[in-house]
């Protein structure tokens, strides 16, 4: 039996209330939180409704963090208190923070640009902008020193964060996680969906009128915990977390596959990984956005998989909370857990008598719970999320324990392909780059620079590994993109236009590129990759953390091949913002995308693939310090290195090549030198950033790529790559000569 994982705490804030009980009571009674928007100027817009959080919370009046962080801190505090989890110096490194988000600190970008335009603003406000700050801010606020990650897969982010936390606990890498999602109501999101003409002119009406979404905001946080750990401390247990599934449509950047194939793959994976079949599911909290294309695809998916299930209830709580983007999946997960525990299905509201007649024709055997809650026993419930970029995720909660398959794949993992596009200050992108892979201009022109870099390096890595993607293997291949700053240039420029010209001036062409996972989405669409797809924004070390994450996905038995990538761009906007911060001069910056193909031994042997090196150890560590700082976190670097070596089954003294992350900033170089001197003495250390500049996530992935090439050349036996993130995040990997 696979290790049991349980939910021991819940925290929730959204337009329905300021805590879990308020929100739950409103939801089951069909109370809506949708009203005319107050925080965004909707003049000239055809829609003016939203589901905003009341702004009088004390926690939300602080000035240290972006609103997304403040919402999450509020929900996390409730969840931790609810769980009774006492954080001590002795256990703080065994509880981590994984948070889903869509557009990062969009409210702070708006505030910064507006203040800057008027001659005000603080330079330190730039640190509020990246999505990379979110999990770190929660961790620092509560003194949590376990693994951090910011899952930025748009509307599926909250659900993927729960799935990832569960997998890490099952693999023994943590005792518990503060996991969930958070997003704030912003002019960026409102203007973007308005430009796409995706907003409902009236309250959204999922599975009913389906004439658009209503944006919301909030945060949902769950304490996900190892059962034995929870039992030992006498924790109350809400329910079990069973299996999850993650997939890609590989269809379109904003529209779902109309045949619902990606959705069904994610749902089916979650069911199979839970040791269940479709007939076992009692309730599904659906994605249910209220747009015609999404609702039609989801109707098809539900009917295809569940028409033989004559006791299934389905509802969309977005009809009351609005669509809370990166927080949607975790808010809905909290509602799903409450439904399991209390035997109540919250309704989908907004049906008239006439609508109910139409619903009967579309619903079939499925009960869509219109207007009024449904009381019933719920043994197994799923929460589904589908997002921009074609990202899909499903997770299943259970009332009682159940044996689930142990899917761990303990085969060796090899590096079989590299795709490098990295340099200082910028890399050249020419027509030859897209002609090489048959990328048509009509497709290429849709991409911002961030996505262009990702697409080229990803395709180079697949070509180098000689991986041919077919209908048969498309679901067995996945992607993890790591980034420090994501599409910050596109976000900043979009926001600038909105601030200068009004909310109605948002560009429908550029808005899809403001979501962090667009780069991974475009890559999956062009390559035809339909497996696991996630983007993690976790500062400079995110490219190396992507290898750790990808290796975990293979080890968990989810995929056979993973493309792990670090991608960050360098533009005038990036240079201006880094120069403003004073962390480094813009002359020190580089950019690029470096993709590494990781592959299980069975897949390598089946394909007869070449091997650069074997990945034998990987680890992440964190010491919570303020975002933008490193001081006081050096022990976490040492821990990441020691744990990676331990995971590899070797001692630190066996390492004969170190690929470091020094970048010319005194604080970084001095910290690294102290730790490396203590651990390695005179072992050769290569500083890849001396060539490529501080290319952030791309440079950290390049550290691993460089090590793999050196091992392939037979120069060394064991190589280590280790990287830092501002805020005290570290990742380390150990590679072995084949």
């Amino acid at each position: 039996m696979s290790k049991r994982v349980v939910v021991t705490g819940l925290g929730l804030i959204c337009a329905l209330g300021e805590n879990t009980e308020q929100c739950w009571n409103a939801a089951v009674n069909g109370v809506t939180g949708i009203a005319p928007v107050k925080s965004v100027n909707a003049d000239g817009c055809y829609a003016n409704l939203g589901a905003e959080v009341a702004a009088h919370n004390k926690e939300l009046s602080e000035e240290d963090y972006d609103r997304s962080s403040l919402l999450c801190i509020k929900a996390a505090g409730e969840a931790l208190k609810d769980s009774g989890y006492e954080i001590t110096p002795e256990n703080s490194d065994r509880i981590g923070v994984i948070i889903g988000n869509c557009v990062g600190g969009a409210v702070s970008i708006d505030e910064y640009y507006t203040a800057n335009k008027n001659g005000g603003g603080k330079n330190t406000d730039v640190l509020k902008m990246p999505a990379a700050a979110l999990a770190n801010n929660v961790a620092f606020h509560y003194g949590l020193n376990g693994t951090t990650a910011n899952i930025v897969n748009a509307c599926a982010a909250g659900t993927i964060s729960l799935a990832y936390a569960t997998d890490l606990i099952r693999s023994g890498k943590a005792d518990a996680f503060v996991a969930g999602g958070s997003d704030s109501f912003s002019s960026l999101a409102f203007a973007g969906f308005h430009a796409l003409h995706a907003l409902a002119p009236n309250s959204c009406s999922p599975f009913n009128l389906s004439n658009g979404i209503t944006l919301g905001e909030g945060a949902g946080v769950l304490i996900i915990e190892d059962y034995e750990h929870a039992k030992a401390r006498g924790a109350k247990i809400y329910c079990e977390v069973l299996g999850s599934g993650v997939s890609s449509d590989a269809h379109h950047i904003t529209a779902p596959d109309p045949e619902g194939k990606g959705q069904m793959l994610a749902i089916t994976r979650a069911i199979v990984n839970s040791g269940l079949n479709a007939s076992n599911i009692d309730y599904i909290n659906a994605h249910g956005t209220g747009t015609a294309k999404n609702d039609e695809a989801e109707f098809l998916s539900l009917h295809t998989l569940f028409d033989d299930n004559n006791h299934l209830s389905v509802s969309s709580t977005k009809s009351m909370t609005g669509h809370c983007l990166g927080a949607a999946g975790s808010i809905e997960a909290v509602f799903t857990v409450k439904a399991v525990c209390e035997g109540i299905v919250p309704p989908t509201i907004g049906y008239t008598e006439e609508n109910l007649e139409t619903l009967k024709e579309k619903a079939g055997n499925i009960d869509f719970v219109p207007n009024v809650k449904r009381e019933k026993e719920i043994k197994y419930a799923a929460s589904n999320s589908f997002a921009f970029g074609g990202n899909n995720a499903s997770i299943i909660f259970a009332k009682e324990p159940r044996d689930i398959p142990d899917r761990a794949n303990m085969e060796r993992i090899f590096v079989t392909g590299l795709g490098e596009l990295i340099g200082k200050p910028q890399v050249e992108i020419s027509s030859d780059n897209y002609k090489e892979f048959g990328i048509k201009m009509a497709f290429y022109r849709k991409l911002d620079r961030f996505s262009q870099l990702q697409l080229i390096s990803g395709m180079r890595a697949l070509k180098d590994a000689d991986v041919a993607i077919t209908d048969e293997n498309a679901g067995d291949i996945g992607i993890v993109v790591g980034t420090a700053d994501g599409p910050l240039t596109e976000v900043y420029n979009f926001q600038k236009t909105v601030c200068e010209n009004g909310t109605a001036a948002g560009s429908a062409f550029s808005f899809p590129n403001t979501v962090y996972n667009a780069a991974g989405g475009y890559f999956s669409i062009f390559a035809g990759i339909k497996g696991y797809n996630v983007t993690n924004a976790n500062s400079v070390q995110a490219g190396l953390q992507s290898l750790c994450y990808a290796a975990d996905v293979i080890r968990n038995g989810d995929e056979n091949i993973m493309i792990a990538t670090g991608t960050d761009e360098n533009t005038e906007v990036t240079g201006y913002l880094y120069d403003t911060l004073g962390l480094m001069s813009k002359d020190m910056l580089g950019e690029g995308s470096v993709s590494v193909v990781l592959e299980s031994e069975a897949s390598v042997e089946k394909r007869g693939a070449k091997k650069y090196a074997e990945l034998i150890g990987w680890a992440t560590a964190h010491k919570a310090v303020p975002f933008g700082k490193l001081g006081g976190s050096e022990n976490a670097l040492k821990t990441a290195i020691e744990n990676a070596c331990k995971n590899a089954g070797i001692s630190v003294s066996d390492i004969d090549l170190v690929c470091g992350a020094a970048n010319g900033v005194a604080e970084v170089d001095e910290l690294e030198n102290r730790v490396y001197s203590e651990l390695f003495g005179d072992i050769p250390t290569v500083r890849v950033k001396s060539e490529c500049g501080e290319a952030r996530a791309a440079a950290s992935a390049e550290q691993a790529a460089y090590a793999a090439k050196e091992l392939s050349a037979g120069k060394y036996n064991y190589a280590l790559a280790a990287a830092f993130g501002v805020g005290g995040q570290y990742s380390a990997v150990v590679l072995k000569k084949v």
Side-chain angles (χ1 to χ4, degrees), residues 136-174:
N136 188 88
N137 289 342
V138 174
F140 180 69
H141 191 87
Y142 292 109
L144 308 176
N145 293 313
T147 292
T148 62
N150 297 283
I151 307 301
V152 285
N153 284 73
C155 313
T159 301
I160 295 175
S161 73
L162 302 174
Y164 185 34
T166 300
D167 289 342
L168 288 176
I169 292 170
R170 286 211 168 101
S171 65
K173 296 184 177 180

Short mmCIF file of all heavy atoms in Angstrom, two decimals, residues 136-174:
data_model
loop_
_atom_site.label_atom_id
_atom_site.label_comp_id
_atom_site.label_asym_id
_atom_site.label_seq_id
_atom_site.Cartn_x
_atom_site.Cartn_y
_atom_site.Cartn_z
N ASN A 136 7.42 31.86 -0.77
CA ASN A 136 8.46 32.31 0.15
C ASN A 136 7.89 33.24 1.22
O ASN A 136 8.25 33.16 2.40
CB ASN A 136 9.56 33.02 -0.62
CG ASN A 136 10.75 33.35 0.25
OD1 ASN A 136 11.65 32.53 0.40
ND2 ASN A 136 10.77 34.53 0.84
N ASN A 137 6.98 34.14 0.82
CA ASN A 137 6.40 35.06 1.79
C ASN A 137 5.58 34.34 2.85
O ASN A 137 5.63 34.69 4.03
CB ASN A 137 5.52 36.09 1.06
CG ASN A 137 6.33 37.08 0.24
OD1 ASN A 137 7.53 37.24 0.45
ND2 ASN A 137 5.67 37.74 -0.69
N VAL A 138 4.83 33.33 2.43
CA VAL A 138 4.06 32.53 3.39
C VAL A 138 5.01 31.78 4.32
O VAL A 138 4.82 31.75 5.55
CB VAL A 138 3.14 31.54 2.65
CG1 VAL A 138 2.44 30.61 3.65
CG2 VAL A 138 2.10 32.28 1.82
N ALA A 139 6.07 31.18 3.74
CA ALA A 139 7.03 30.43 4.54
C ALA A 139 7.72 31.34 5.55
O ALA A 139 7.88 30.98 6.73
CB ALA A 139 8.05 29.77 3.63
N PHE A 140 8.14 32.52 5.10
CA PHE A 140 8.84 33.44 6.00
C PHE A 140 7.91 33.93 7.11
O PHE A 140 8.31 34.03 8.27
CB PHE A 140 9.39 34.62 5.20
CG PHE A 140 10.13 35.63 6.05
CD1 PHE A 140 11.34 35.30 6.63
CD2 PHE A 140 9.60 36.89 6.27
CE1 PHE A 140 12.02 36.22 7.42
CE2 PHE A 140 10.27 37.81 7.05
CZ PHE A 140 11.48 37.48 7.63
N HIS A 141 6.67 34.21 6.75
CA HIS A 141 5.71 34.73 7.74
C HIS A 141 5.49 33.73 8.88
O HIS A 141 5.37 34.14 10.04
CB HIS A 141 4.38 35.02 7.05
CG HIS A 141 3.41 35.79 7.89
ND1 HIS A 141 3.40 37.16 7.96
CD2 HIS A 141 2.42 35.37 8.72
CE1 HIS A 141 2.45 37.56 8.78
NE2 HIS A 141 1.83 36.50 9.26
N TYR A 142 5.47 32.43 8.55
CA TYR A 142 5.17 31.43 9.57
C TYR A 142 6.39 30.61 9.99
O TYR A 142 6.26 29.67 10.78
CB TYR A 142 4.06 30.50 9.08
CG TYR A 142 2.73 31.21 8.96
CD1 TYR A 142 2.17 31.51 7.72
CD2 TYR A 142 2.05 31.64 10.10
CE1 TYR A 142 0.97 32.19 7.62
CE2 TYR A 142 0.85 32.32 10.01
CZ TYR A 142 0.32 32.59 8.76
OH TYR A 142 -0.88 33.28 8.67
N GLY A 143 7.58 30.94 9.48
CA GLY A 143 8.78 30.24 9.89
C GLY A 143 8.84 28.80 9.41
O GLY A 143 9.29 27.91 10.14
N LEU A 144 8.44 28.56 8.16
CA LEU A 144 8.42 27.21 7.60
C LEU A 144 9.63 27.04 6.68
O LEU A 144 9.83 27.83 5.76
CB LEU A 144 7.12 26.98 6.81
CG LEU A 144 5.83 27.31 7.57
CD1 LEU A 144 4.62 27.14 6.67
CD2 LEU A 144 5.70 26.45 8.82
N ASN A 145 10.42 26.00 6.91
CA ASN A 145 11.69 25.85 6.20
C ASN A 145 11.75 24.61 5.31
O ASN A 145 12.84 24.22 4.87
CB ASN A 145 12.84 25.80 7.22
CG ASN A 145 13.02 27.13 7.93
OD1 ASN A 145 13.05 28.18 7.31
ND2 ASN A 145 13.09 27.08 9.26
N GLY A 146 10.62 24.00 5.01
CA GLY A 146 10.60 22.88 4.08
C GLY A 146 10.60 23.37 2.64
O GLY A 146 10.70 24.56 2.35
N THR A 147 10.49 22.43 1.71
CA THR A 147 10.49 22.74 0.28
C THR A 147 9.44 23.78 -0.07
O THR A 147 8.30 23.72 0.43
CB THR A 147 10.22 21.46 -0.53
OG1 THR A 147 11.34 20.58 -0.38
CG2 THR A 147 10.02 21.76 -2.00
N THR A 148 9.81 24.73 -0.91
CA THR A 148 8.84 25.69 -1.43
C THR A 148 8.72 25.53 -2.94
O THR A 148 9.66 25.12 -3.62
CB THR A 148 9.24 27.15 -1.14
OG1 THR A 148 10.48 27.44 -1.78
CG2 THR A 148 9.35 27.40 0.34
N ALA A 149 7.55 25.87 -3.46
CA ALA A 149 7.33 25.90 -4.90
C ALA A 149 6.14 26.81 -5.18
O ALA A 149 5.21 26.89 -4.37
CB ALA A 149 7.07 24.51 -5.47
N ASN A 150 6.21 27.51 -6.31
CA ASN A 150 5.09 28.32 -6.78
C ASN A 150 4.62 27.74 -8.11
O ASN A 150 5.29 27.90 -9.13
CB ASN A 150 5.53 29.77 -6.98
CG ASN A 150 5.98 30.42 -5.69
OD1 ASN A 150 5.17 30.81 -4.86
ND2 ASN A 150 7.29 30.54 -5.51
N ILE A 151 3.52 27.03 -8.07
CA ILE A 151 2.98 26.40 -9.27
C ILE A 151 2.14 27.45 -10.00
O ILE A 151 1.16 27.96 -9.46
CB ILE A 151 2.11 25.18 -8.92
CG1 ILE A 151 2.92 24.21 -8.04
CG2 ILE A 151 1.62 24.49 -10.18
CD1 ILE A 151 4.20 23.70 -8.65
N VAL A 152 2.54 27.77 -11.24
CA VAL A 152 1.92 28.90 -11.93
C VAL A 152 1.22 28.44 -13.21
O VAL A 152 1.37 29.04 -14.27
CB VAL A 152 2.96 30.01 -12.21
CG1 VAL A 152 3.29 30.76 -10.94
CG2 VAL A 152 4.24 29.45 -12.83
N ASN A 153 0.46 27.37 -13.10
CA ASN A 153 -0.27 26.82 -14.24
C ASN A 153 -1.69 27.37 -14.31
O ASN A 153 -2.66 26.63 -14.40
CB ASN A 153 -0.29 25.30 -14.18
CG ASN A 153 1.04 24.72 -14.60
OD1 ASN A 153 2.01 24.80 -13.86
ND2 ASN A 153 1.09 24.17 -15.80
N ALA A 154 -1.78 28.70 -14.25
CA ALA A 154 -3.05 29.39 -14.43
C ALA A 154 -4.14 28.76 -13.56
O ALA A 154 -3.94 28.55 -12.37
CB ALA A 154 -3.43 29.41 -15.90
N CYS A 155 -5.28 28.43 -14.15
CA CYS A 155 -6.45 28.01 -13.38
C CYS A 155 -6.35 26.59 -12.84
O CYS A 155 -7.22 26.15 -12.09
CB CYS A 155 -7.70 28.14 -14.25
SG CYS A 155 -7.80 29.71 -15.10
N ALA A 156 -5.30 25.85 -13.22
CA ALA A 156 -5.07 24.51 -12.67
C ALA A 156 -4.03 24.52 -11.56
O ALA A 156 -3.74 23.49 -10.96
CB ALA A 156 -4.63 23.54 -13.78
N ALA A 157 -3.47 25.70 -11.26
CA ALA A 157 -2.33 25.78 -10.35
C ALA A 157 -2.66 25.31 -8.94
O ALA A 157 -1.86 24.61 -8.31
CB ALA A 157 -1.81 27.22 -10.32
N GLY A 158 -3.82 25.70 -8.42
CA GLY A 158 -4.17 25.32 -7.06
C GLY A 158 -4.30 23.82 -6.89
O GLY A 158 -3.91 23.25 -5.86
N THR A 159 -4.83 23.15 -7.90
CA THR A 159 -5.00 21.69 -7.84
C THR A 159 -3.65 20.99 -7.99
O THR A 159 -3.35 20.03 -7.27
CB THR A 159 -5.97 21.23 -8.93
OG1 THR A 159 -7.22 21.88 -8.73
CG2 THR A 159 -6.18 19.72 -8.87
N ILE A 160 -2.81 21.47 -8.91
CA ILE A 160 -1.49 20.85 -9.09
C ILE A 160 -0.65 21.01 -7.84
O ILE A 160 0.12 20.11 -7.47
CB ILE A 160 -0.78 21.44 -10.32
CG1 ILE A 160 -1.56 21.09 -11.60
CG2 ILE A 160 0.64 20.91 -10.44
CD1 ILE A 160 -0.99 21.72 -12.87
N SER A 161 -0.78 22.13 -7.14
CA SER A 161 0.00 22.32 -5.91
C SER A 161 -0.35 21.25 -4.88
O SER A 161 0.53 20.74 -4.18
CB SER A 161 -0.24 23.72 -5.33
OG SER A 161 -1.52 23.85 -4.74
N LEU A 162 -1.62 20.88 -4.78
CA LEU A 162 -2.04 19.83 -3.85
C LEU A 162 -1.51 18.48 -4.29
O LEU A 162 -1.07 17.66 -3.46
CB LEU A 162 -3.56 19.80 -3.75
CG LEU A 162 -4.25 21.09 -3.30
CD1 LEU A 162 -5.77 20.94 -3.39
CD2 LEU A 162 -3.84 21.46 -1.88
N ALA A 163 -1.55 18.23 -5.59
CA ALA A 163 -1.05 16.96 -6.12
C ALA A 163 0.45 16.82 -5.87
O ALA A 163 0.93 15.75 -5.44
CB ALA A 163 -1.36 16.87 -7.61
N TYR A 164 1.20 17.88 -6.12
CA TYR A 164 2.66 17.85 -5.93
C TYR A 164 3.00 17.66 -4.46
O TYR A 164 3.89 16.87 -4.11
CB TYR A 164 3.26 19.15 -6.48
CG TYR A 164 4.76 19.23 -6.46
CD1 TYR A 164 5.55 18.10 -6.68
CD2 TYR A 164 5.40 20.45 -6.27
CE1 TYR A 164 6.94 18.20 -6.69
CE2 TYR A 164 6.79 20.55 -6.28
CZ TYR A 164 7.55 19.43 -6.48
OH TYR A 164 8.92 19.53 -6.49
N ALA A 165 2.32 18.37 -3.58
CA ALA A 165 2.56 18.22 -2.15
C ALA A 165 2.31 16.78 -1.70
O ALA A 165 3.10 16.21 -0.94
CB ALA A 165 1.66 19.18 -1.37
N THR A 166 1.23 16.20 -2.19
CA THR A 166 0.91 14.81 -1.83
C THR A 166 2.00 13.86 -2.30
O THR A 166 2.44 12.96 -1.56
CB THR A 166 -0.44 14.42 -2.44
OG1 THR A 166 -1.46 15.28 -1.93
CG2 THR A 166 -0.80 12.98 -2.11
N ASP A 167 2.48 14.05 -3.52
CA ASP A 167 3.52 13.17 -4.06
C ASP A 167 4.82 13.29 -3.27
O ASP A 167 5.51 12.29 -3.04
CB ASP A 167 3.77 13.50 -5.53
CG ASP A 167 2.63 13.07 -6.44
OD1 ASP A 167 1.82 12.23 -6.02
OD2 ASP A 167 2.55 13.57 -7.58
N LEU A 168 5.19 14.51 -2.87
CA LEU A 168 6.42 14.69 -2.10
C LEU A 168 6.33 14.05 -0.73
O LEU A 168 7.31 13.49 -0.22
CB LEU A 168 6.75 16.18 -1.98
CG LEU A 168 7.24 16.87 -3.25
CD1 LEU A 168 7.43 18.36 -3.02
CD2 LEU A 168 8.54 16.25 -3.75
N ILE A 169 5.16 14.11 -0.12
CA ILE A 169 4.98 13.44 1.18
C ILE A 169 5.08 11.93 1.01
O ILE A 169 5.74 11.24 1.80
CB ILE A 169 3.63 13.84 1.81
CG1 ILE A 169 3.65 15.32 2.21
CG2 ILE A 169 3.32 12.97 3.03
CD1 ILE A 169 2.31 15.87 2.63
N ARG A 170 4.45 11.41 -0.03
CA ARG A 170 4.51 9.96 -0.26
C ARG A 170 5.94 9.48 -0.51
O ARG A 170 6.27 8.35 -0.18
CB ARG A 170 3.61 9.58 -1.44
CG ARG A 170 2.13 9.63 -1.09
CD ARG A 170 1.30 8.62 -1.88
NE ARG A 170 -0.02 8.54 -1.29
CZ ARG A 170 -1.12 9.14 -1.75
NH1 ARG A 170 -1.04 9.86 -2.85
NH2 ARG A 170 -2.26 9.01 -1.13
N SER A 171 6.76 10.34 -1.09
CA SER A 171 8.14 9.95 -1.35
C SER A 171 9.05 10.18 -0.15
O SER A 171 10.26 9.94 -0.22
CB SER A 171 8.69 10.73 -2.56
OG SER A 171 8.77 12.11 -2.28
N GLY A 172 8.48 10.64 0.97
CA GLY A 172 9.24 10.79 2.20
C GLY A 172 10.01 12.09 2.32
O GLY A 172 10.85 12.22 3.22
N LYS A 173 9.74 13.07 1.45
CA LYS A 173 10.53 14.30 1.44
C LYS A 173 9.96 15.39 2.35
O LYS A 173 10.55 16.47 2.45
CB LYS A 173 10.67 14.80 0.00
CG LYS A 173 11.47 13.82 -0.86
CD LYS A 173 11.72 14.33 -2.26
CE LYS A 173 12.59 13.32 -3.01
NZ LYS A 173 12.88 13.75 -4.39
N ALA A 174 8.86 15.12 2.98
CA ALA A 174 8.28 16.07 3.91
C ALA A 174 7.26 15.34 4.77
O ALA A 174 6.74 14.28 4.39
CB ALA A 174 7.61 17.23 3.17
#
